[in-house]
Amino acid sequence: MSPKHFEATYQAMWDTFAAQIAEAKLGKRTDGAQLATHYRRVCEHLALAQSRAYPIHLVSRLESLTQDAHQLIYRRQDYGMRQLAQLLRVGLPNAVRAERRVVLLALLLFALPLVLSLALSWHSPDFALRLLNASQLRNYEAMYADGQDALGRLRGADGDWQMFGHYIFNNIGIGFRAFGAGILAGVGSAFVLIYNGLLIGVVAGHLQRVGLGHNFWPFVATHSAFELTGIVLSGAAGLRIGLGWIVPGRLSRGEALRASARAAIPLVYAAFFLLLVAAGFEAFWSSAAWIAPAVKYGVAAGCWALVLAWLCLMGRGSVHAR
Amino acid sequence: MNAPHTAAPQRIDTLALAETPEGIVLSLQPAGLVARTLAFLLDLLIRLAINLVVLMVLSALGRLGGGLALIAFFCVEWLYPIVFELTRGGATPGKGVMGLRVVMDTGLPITPAGSFIRNLLRVADFLPFGYAFGIVTMLLNREFKRLGDLAAGTLVVHAKQVVLHDAPPDAASIAPARALSLSERAAIRAWAGRARRLTPARFEELAQIAAPVLPPVQPGDPKRSTAERLLGVAQWLMGSRG
């Protein structure tokens, strides 16, 4: 078959197909079965044209037809609430358990500095000053002081919303950066984890030492369940991606990087979810001064149990049930 | 790298080849630094404009507005590219204007995980300042991938192919002097397809190389240049007879 004959035979079909693609791209309904049939025919035509070295204008016309249709046919259509629920119930906890070694590593990098600096700044008056300067410490003291303007005192609903926005912008941004910095061989994530651990520990220990613990602990107890776990998980995701870079194993470095990024992304989703919940609790619950500390501690215990149960227990045995 | 990448040795173009389940090879044209930078700057302007509008509208609402504005800023900073890449044909508005789109290495539309990875890793591409890491990485590999693209397995490609070939111009068909091999036929057709884009002198010069396949000039024939006669052969190869 000569190129001319080939073109003359199928020209009409290609035109219909191109028109159909253009319509479908605009979001109009088209006959999917017909689109798929046409697509397969045009793929055959392209393969023929390539193997027979037909003129380039002909081949590239078929190429752009198939590429447009390819994008259209293989586009994702499964952004449903059910998928999201399934991900939260089964996918995320399983992914976190599958990466338990990096998660434990991240936990160590975060919790060790936290406990250490908490103990030190609680028991020695000058340790806090080695990490923070005096005015920063005074700011923290003012934040948790007894009195009208301090955190956790009387604040209108609009103030709650303001803080909610602040926590989302700030804290989730930090979580995302902790992940992104992981591609630098994991060093960036390790830094974020250790730094945040030290800072939180110092502030907690210092406030306890100067006698403001009765304001501080009820405030942080509940949302810490979500926030600290979120920080650890986003750090773990960063470490995971860094590991693929420095310990590629049997894969090539590029492949290893891609594989570890794929493994890390559920941890980021989980961290995002947890930090979102944390922001909500921090803005609307932790700051509510009219709730008795005992109630807050009770709810906090429930939240910690909930988070740990979600990560450790949920979705077991349903890995293959998808 | 996938098999198709290594199969063709010493390629001088930057096409990324991806084989589909239908057994055809898609040739993707990765977008370079300039197009992507322009797209980025356009997106930056759009994002700034959105932020400004949000600020103006919500500042009337006091502290509630402030909180909502921060949430909006968060979405514009982190979710803007992800949302657009996953919905609007794989392109943010800026990329759309520049005719770019984001696809997976396999030529498939971008997946949610892919979009999240490549956009959250912007943090690393930005380091140490002004996207230096991203730019250096992009210039170091032939598919112009920044760190985020490498980790996510994504490509930024030109949505529309650049086509330099037209149908061969009309000419009186001439049978070649001998049977031609596949690659010879392809070369003559490709040459003929560039008739409108090459200068006549260069076109003629290239035609001289293929002169041996032309049949000897008969006494009664009208006088024609080598290029015109070779175009006749190209027409004959296209299927015109007589």
Side-chain angles (χ1 to χ4, degrees):
Chain A
M1 190 184 256
S2 73
K4 262 209 168 129
H5 187 194
F6 184 71
E7 200 173 354
T9 313
Y10 299 114
Q11 181 80 43
M13 196 206 116
W14 298 337
D15 287 342
T16 350
F17 188 43
Q20 198 182 11
I21 291 174
E23 252 183 32
K25 263 191 183 167
L26 293 176
K28 292 186 192 149
R29 294 193 71 82
T30 50
D31 184 354
Q34 198 193 14
L35 190 78
T37 316
H38 278 162
Y39 174 56
R40 282 194 290 273
R41 291 302 308 278
V42 174
C43 283
E44 280 170 34
H45 295 164
L46 174 62
L48 272 179
Q50 279 171 338
S51 68
R52 292 176 187 167
Y54 278 172
I56 294 172
H57 74 279
L58 198 63
V59 175
S60 59
R61 163 145 201 235
L62 293 172
E63 264 182 349
S64 67
L65 267 182
T66 47
Q67 290 198 9
D68 287 352
H70 187 256
Q71 289 287 321
L72 210 59
I73 285 171
Y74 288 101
R75 80 182 183 286
R76 296 178 66 93
Q77 296 160 316
D78 53 347
Y79 301 111
M81 276 329 218
R82 275 191 55 205
Q83 259 77 23
L84 193 65
Q86 175 78 9
L87 190 69
L88 282 178
R89 273 207 320 273
V90 182
L92 296 186
N94 273 318
V96 172
R97 283 196 295 274
E99 299 299 332
R100 67 176 87 70
R101 282 161 62 193
V102 266
V103 174
L104 283 179
L105 180 65
L107 181 63
L108 275 182
L109 284 174
F110 181 70
L112 270 186
L114 194 153
V115 171
L116 218 71
S117 65
L118 192 149
L120 282 172
S121 68
W122 187 346
H123 291 295
S124 72
D126 62 342
F127 179 76
L129 285 168
R130 291 176 193 276
L131 291 173
L132 297 173
N133 60 40
S135 75
Q136 285 171 314
L137 280 180
R138 264 199 304 281
N139 278 342
Y140 281 113
E141 281 173 33
M143 242 197 276
Y144 293 97
D146 302 296
Q148 279 293 326
D149 299 331
L151 248 176
R153 296 297 106 188
L154 299 167
R155 194 169 79 193
D158 55 346
D160 284 353
W161 273 97
Q162 185 189 22
M163 292 319 285
F164 184 52
H166 175 75
Y167 295 136
I168 285 190
F169 182 77
N170 224 29
N171 299 4
I172 303 182
I174 288 175
F176 282 171
R177 284 196 189 89
F179 167 66
I183 201 172
L184 310 172
V187 176
S189 302
F191 173 80
V192 172
L193 285 170
I194 295 173
Y195 174 81
N196 277 299
L198 279 175
L199 186 72
I200 294 172
V202 162
V203 171
H206 177 76
L207 291 174
Q208 179 67 26
R209 198 179 57 75
V210 299
L212 292 172
H214 62 284
N215 287 337
F216 177 75
W217 295 110
F219 178 77
V220 296
T222 314
H223 68 255
S224 65
F226 307 101
E227 190 163 334
L228 300 189
T229 323
I231 293 176
V232 168
L233 285 185
S234 56
L239 291 178
R240 183 71 185 77
I241 206 170
L243 273 182
W245 202 227
I246 40 181
V247 194
R250 291 189 180 183
L251 302 170
S252 78
R253 259 207 178 74
E255 297 264 357
L257 182 63
R258 256 167 285 158
S260 58
R262 264 199 306 279
I265 203 73
L267 301 185
V268 179
Y269 290 160
F272 179 61
F273 171 66
L274 285 171
L275 289 172
L276 207 60
V277 176
F281 267 98
E282 194 168 0
F284 299 110
W285 167 266
S286 301
S287 62
W290 48 272
I291 302 171
V295 179
K296 282 194 179 169
Y297 288 137
V299 173
C303 285
W304 274 104
L306 217 65
V307 170
L308 291 179
W310 180 53
L311 292 180
C312 300
L313 301 176
M314 255 186 112
R316 275 187 195 277
S318 40
V319 188
H320 304 292
R322 284 157 69 88
Chain B
M1 283 292 142
N2 303 326
H5 292 262
T6 48
Q10 294 175 344
R11 298 181 41 142
I12 56 170
D13 57 24
T14 56
L15 287 185
L17 304 178
E19 199 174 337
T20 74
E22 290 82 11
I24 55 166
V25 175
L26 301 179
S27 48
L28 307 164
Q29 299 180 338
L33 186 58
V34 175
R36 290 180 63 175
T37 308
L38 288 177
F40 172 80
L41 291 177
L42 266 175
D43 278 327
L44 193 66
L45 280 180
I46 296 171
R47 272 162 39 200
L48 281 177
I50 296 177
N51 280 347
L52 268 180
V53 171
V54 164
L55 203 62
M56 281 195 293
V57 171
L58 291 179
S59 61
L61 291 175
R63 294 165 76 174
L64 167 65
L68 293 180
L70 278 174
I71 297 176
F73 293 165
F74 171 82
C75 293
V76 169
E77 181 176 348
W78 292 103
L79 305 183
Y80 167 95
I82 298 176
V83 167
F84 278 117
E85 279 171 13
L86 290 180
T87 51
R88 229 180 116 270
T92 56
K95 288 201 180 76
V97 170
M98 295 304 298
L100 310 180
R101 88 176 144 203
V102 189
V103 295
M104 303 304 286
D105 281 340
T106 51
L108 287 173
I110 187 162
T111 60
S115 185
F116 263 95
I117 295 173
R118 76 181 294 278
N119 285 304
L120 296 192
L121 288 181
R122 246 170 228 292
V123 177
D125 280 306
F126 183 79
L127 291 173
F129 58 86
Y131 281 94
F133 273 12
I135 290 172
V136 170
T137 338
M138 250 159 94
L139 296 179
L140 284 181
N141 65 79
R142 57 180 290 131
E143 287 162 351
F144 307 124
K145 292 178 169 204
R146 58 178 178 82
L147 286 173
D149 288 319
L150 285 173
T154 51
L155 269 177
V156 180
V157 297
H158 289 284
K160 282 270 165 276
Q161 298 226 338
V162 179
V163 180
L164 298 174
H165 295 255
D166 310 295
D170 280 332
S173 157
I174 301 174
R178 59 176 170 82
L180 300 175
S181 74
L182 189 67
S183 61
E184 284 169 331
R185 277 181 277 167
I188 292 175
R189 283 187 194 131
W191 165 84
R194 307 213 53 179
R196 285 189 194 86
R197 288 169 197 274
L198 294 174
T199 58
R202 177 63 179 153
F203 196 60
E204 174 71 25
E205 188 184 358
L206 287 172
Q208 292 293 343
I209 302 171
V213 309
L214 290 170
V217 183
Q218 301 299 319
D221 282 353
K223 190 161 172 46
R224 295 200 290 172
S225 68
T226 316
E228 278 172 281
R229 300 186 70 221
L230 195 62
L231 276 179
V233 174
Q235 280 298 335
W236 192 87
L237 291 174
M238 288 290 291
S240 313
R241 299 286 188 274

